[in-house]
Amino acid sequence: MAKWEETLVVDFDDTIAFTKNRDWNNALPNKPLIDKLNNLYKKGWDIHIVTARGSLSCKNREEADKTYRPQIEEWLENHNVGYTSLCFQKKLGLYYIDDKGITPDDFVKNFDQEELIGWSGDKVYIDKAIGDVVKVHKEYPGKVIEWFEAAEDRGFKVPKVRSLIGNTIRMERLYEYTGSIDCIIQKIMKFDGRVPLEGYQEPREQIALYRKYIDRCCNRLSSYGVREVDSKKIDLFLREYLLKEYENTPYTFGHGDASFENIMSDKYGKEVYFIDPIQEESLYSSWVIDLGKLYASYFLKTTPLSDRMIERNLEKNHLYKNINIKTIQIHAIANLCRMYPYADSNWKINILKAITTLCNKVKKQKSD
């Protein structure tokens, strides 16, 4: 029996194997680590692999063992990993603390959480010990990472993801964006022409998605306490104007919630990074909707985006000549309706005022 000095306890997922979208069978091997472990194993070290896989999907560790052991053992054999044992008694946690990993002294001295301002989301803080951001998503964190990967493949900047544990993503820290607004607009417009994520709706179903999108926007006001007379006016406006914009709203790869809160940067404040996408197969995806969301979020600020800034950038797009400032304003109204349920009482007043102002601007353009 090997002495304890020649014993290693090693995690499996995101340590020995790197998995995308829970595709366990096609996980990529961490070859440098495996080579190191195999070298020690051949020298007589005990290598104990522990995993918390199944902590969320199984009722107990016995069920996790029965469900995932054959799969992991086959993967280890296929990738020639030498090991002494595989154990499922590791519980799922965001941190693991012992006298060989993070020492008690380091934990007391360095472990701290600082709530971050400027990040949207349910719960966001910085792990001050290592500088990473920890972000809790109530729903669909896997979809967030799926979008990050797809956006990065298309050449967009997204935060580096360190891990996904349950509904919690650990990622690199980003900062407030202080660069040109024109740059944000141009980045959003580069979603133009990009195919949505694989598996999303076929073209023949796009109009049905678009109608559902309009319904969702309209129902946000009537369902959340807006006076019937006011909600009905806005409902009629959206159904008259937004449906007409369908042909000017191409179905493309998009962010889904490209408000200024979800635009961040590296520490230099110039590069555009996207966070917190809303990505569901049942939602209509378009760069035009994203630009409307950006316009809506800035419309509520002290210094809203100038119409001329939007128009100047739209004029550079030769594929969609029918898209103009009115198109973006109509989508901004729809997005303000979507924002309404999540606002506090003061912001609800501001949002309704903004919706009324934009509706009047759109109608005035039509009459002119």
Side-chain angles (χ1 to χ4, degrees):
M1 180 181 294
K3 296 181 294 184
W4 70 267
E5 294 95 332
E6 295 180 337
T7 296
L8 287 175
V9 180
V10 189
D11 189 24
F12 182 72
D13 290 313
D14 296 320
T15 301
I16 293 176
F18 297 116
T19 308
K20 283 189 175 183
N21 300 327
R22 301 177 64 82
D23 184 5
W24 310 118
N25 291 325
N26 295 309
L28 298 176
N30 184 346
K31 291 182 179 179
L33 176 62
I34 290 172
D35 290 344
K36 189 83 169 182
L37 293 175
N38 284 343
N39 184 47
L40 292 170
Y41 183 71
K42 290 174 183 176
K43 291 180 179 179
W45 283 61
D46 279 344
I47 310 295
H48 297 288
I49 299 174
V50 294
T51 179
R53 188 187 293 184
S55 293
L56 298 177
S57 58
C58 299
K59 295 178 181 177
N60 50 50
R61 302 315 297 154
E62 289 75 20
E63 181 182 332
D65 192 315
K66 183 178 179 180
T67 302
Y68 292 111
R69 178 177 290 277
Q71 187 181 61
I72 294 178
E73 287 181 339
E74 181 180 1
W75 190 95
L76 291 167
E77 181 178 355
N78 290 340
H79 292 88
N80 301 311
V81 180
Y83 64 101
T84 306
S85 70
L86 170 64
C87 179
F88 284 79
Q89 291 305 312
K90 181 181 180 183
K91 292 187 177 294
L92 182 64
L94 191 59
Y95 298 96
Y96 294 99
I97 306 159
D98 59 35
D99 62 345
K100 303 299 187 298
I102 300 175
T103 67
D105 284 347
D106 283 341
F107 181 72
V108 171
K109 185 184 299 182
N110 297 320
F111 181 81
D112 196 8
Q113 299 175 352
E114 175 188 338
E115 186 176 352
L116 280 176
I117 306 301
W119 286 69
S120 63
D122 301 315
K123 182 179 181 182
V124 190
Y125 62 88
I126 184 169
D127 177 352
K128 296 180 73 173
I130 56 178
D132 282 347
V133 166
V134 179
K135 197 169 191 307
V136 178
H137 288 262
K138 286 183 179 177
E139 296 181 324
Y140 313 121
K143 288 289 185 184
V144 171
I145 293 190
E146 180 185 353
W147 189 90
F148 282 164
E149 291 169 351
E152 190 170 35
D153 288 343
R154 289 160 167 81
F156 298 100
K157 294 287 188 180
V158 296
K160 290 184 176 64
V161 175
R162 317 291 192 202
S163 67
L164 169 62
I165 302 175
N167 65 346
T168 302
I169 299 175
R170 178 186 290 277
M171 66 185 80
E172 71 169 313
R173 183 174 186 180
L174 297 177
Y175 300 83
E176 179 184 2
Y177 177 77
T178 57
S180 163
I181 304 300
D182 272 311
C183 188
I184 296 178
I185 295 170
Q186 290 160 19
K187 291 286 185 181
I188 290 175
M189 292 179 69
K190 284 184 179 179
F191 290 145
D192 173 20
R194 312 301 176 95
V195 177
L197 298 185
E198 184 178 353
Y200 280 34
Q201 300 288 345
E202 294 296 324
R204 65 180 179 275
E205 296 173 300
Q206 290 179 19
I207 185 63
L209 279 182
Y210 198 72
R211 289 183 182 277
K212 286 182 180 177
Y213 169 73
I214 294 172
D215 288 340
R216 287 168 68 122
C217 295
C218 292
N219 293 336
R220 289 298 173 93
L221 298 183
S222 59
S223 301
Y224 286 88
V226 176
R227 290 190 314 165
E228 183 178 355
V229 62
D230 293 327
S231 64
K232 192 170 182 178
K233 284 181 182 178
I234 298 168
D235 185 293
L236 291 172
F237 176 92
L238 288 177
R239 295 191 188 282
E240 176 184 356
Y241 286 88
L242 193 54
L243 189 57
K244 289 179 182 177
E245 291 296 335
Y246 168 68
E247 293 182 357
N248 295 333
T249 307
Y251 188 58
T252 72
F253 181 73
H255 181 278
D257 194 16
S259 62
F260 72 86
E261 298 97 334
N262 293 331
I263 308 295
M264 303 199 76
S265 183
D266 56 18
K267 62 182 179 180
Y268 302 107
K270 304 300 181 185
E271 188 68 58
V272 175
Y273 279 70
F274 293 94
I275 64 167
D276 282 5
I278 297 177
Q279 204 66 36
E280 300 174 43
E281 291 89 339
S282 61
L283 296 181
Y284 195 87
S285 175
S286 176
W287 68 270
V288 179
I289 295 175
D290 281 332
L291 195 53
K293 182 73 174 181
L294 184 74
Y295 187 92
S297 64
Y298 272 95
F299 199 79
L300 295 169
K301 292 169 69 71
T302 306
T303 53
L305 294 179
S306 73
D307 291 354
R308 184 56 197 147
M309 181 182 291
I310 298 289
E311 290 171 332
R312 184 174 66 245
N313 283 284
L314 288 173
E315 287 166 2
K316 298 176 183 177
N317 189 320
H318 301 295
L319 288 177
Y320 303 104
K321 294 184 179 298
N322 292 330
I323 300 174
N324 52 39
I325 187 61
K326 185 177 78 171
T327 302
I328 304 306
Q329 288 169 344
I330 291 170
H331 278 293
I333 293 166
N335 276 304
L336 288 167
C337 293
R338 289 174 58 192
M339 293 167 61
Y340 185 83
Y342 308 106
D344 60 30
S345 56
N346 290 330
W347 269 110
K348 280 183 167 66
I349 295 172
N350 291 335
I351 288 173
L352 283 176
K353 287 180 179 178
I355 290 172
T356 301
T357 300
L358 281 176
C359 285
N360 290 334
K361 289 184 74 170
V362 170
K363 290 176 180 178
K364 186 175 187 300
Q365 288 177 59
K366 184 176 180 181
S367 62
D368 291 344

